[in-house]
Amino acid sequence: MAIITLDRPDISALKTYKIINNFEYTYFALQWLKDAGNSTQEIDTDAFESQWGIDNTELLRHLQTLETKKALKITPTEMTITWGQNETTTISQEEVLSMKKDGLINNTAYVYYALLLNKGGGLAQPVSPDTYSVAPWSIPPATLLNELGNISSKTNEDGSKVITLDLSSVSVVWLI
């Protein structure tokens, strides 16, 4: 049986010539960076973006796809979101919780309001999955990460992103 070993230029060439898509490219890049003797992989997302050209939002989407396919498990860590505008709301926490309970808002809106109600001053907001996984919000970390990805792909009326996601690092445990 022949073994094919890909180095970084080979992986980049596969993407350049459209032999693989961005998801496959990200998978190969992660595999190339992975320590063969350790199933846990710490990913410095800023270094990953500069080396491989995959931004935080796209990386998160691809990691979530790999998690869905049971190839790995994402271990959420604290991250920072930056709001595109100085958003505020007059809706209370109780109203948001009630609307969610009654099925009047979807997960994306629920996470959006949970974040907004915990925003504080300024545009940058630290977000810890542990904070949102307990009452009153009770948002599972996987749902929070998924919805952060969804919200970060949305734009305001002026074309700016609603939020920009900065993972800084993410930890994964490979299951395969």
Side-chain angles (χ1 to χ4, degrees):
M1 181 163 118
I3 296 176
I4 299 172
T5 304
L6 298 175
D7 60 15
R8 192 158 174 246
D10 293 333
I11 295 168
S12 293
L14 289 171
K15 181 182 176 205
T16 299
Y17 295 114
K18 298 183 184 208
I19 295 169
I20 59 175
N21 61 32
N22 277 350
F23 169 74
E24 294 160 334
Y25 173 72
T26 303
Y27 174 77
F28 283 138
L30 290 168
Q31 284 291 319
W32 189 78
L33 292 168
K34 182 178 176 264
D35 176 2
N38 187 355
S39 64
T40 301
Q41 181 178 13
E42 294 293 324
I43 304 161
D44 178 332
T45 59
D46 292 334
F48 192 83
E49 182 174 3
S50 70
Q51 292 172 354
W52 298 93
I54 302 294
D55 69 27
N56 280 221
T57 301
E58 189 173 5
L59 176 61
L60 180 59
R61 248 191 334 268
H62 295 320
L63 289 172
Q64 289 171 321
T65 300
L66 289 167
E67 187 171 51
T68 300
K69 294 177 180 288
K70 302 197 183 318
L72 56 77
K73 175 80 175 121
I74 303 170
T75 305
T77 57
E78 186 168 299
M79 61 204 86
T80 301
I81 62 169
T82 304
W83 292 86
Q85 297 178 357
N86 198 9
E87 307 240 352
T88 60
T89 184
T90 57
I91 296 175
S92 70
Q93 176 177 310
E94 292 75 24
E95 289 172 304
V96 173
L97 293 169
S98 177
M99 288 189 296
K100 177 64 175 161
K101 180 180 166 234
D102 295 340
L104 298 175
I105 58 175
N106 63 19
N107 280 342
T108 305
Y110 182 63
V111 169
Y112 171 83
Y113 282 113
L115 293 169
L116 188 56
L117 288 166
N118 287 292
K119 180 174 158 258
L123 296 177
Q125 176 181 1
V127 176
S128 172
D130 294 337
T131 302
Y132 292 92
S133 66
V134 296
W137 301 113
S138 302
I139 303 168
T143 301
L144 179 67
L145 289 174
N146 185 53
E147 296 308 335
L148 283 169
N150 288 338
I151 297 167
S152 69
S153 68
K154 307 237 182 269
T155 56
N156 292 307
E157 290 176 4
D158 67 0
S160 65
K161 288 192 169 268
V162 172
I163 63 169
T164 303
L165 184 59
D166 182 5
L167 296 171
S168 66
S169 72
V170 63
S171 179
V172 298
V173 176
W174 287 91
L175 304 174
I176 58 170

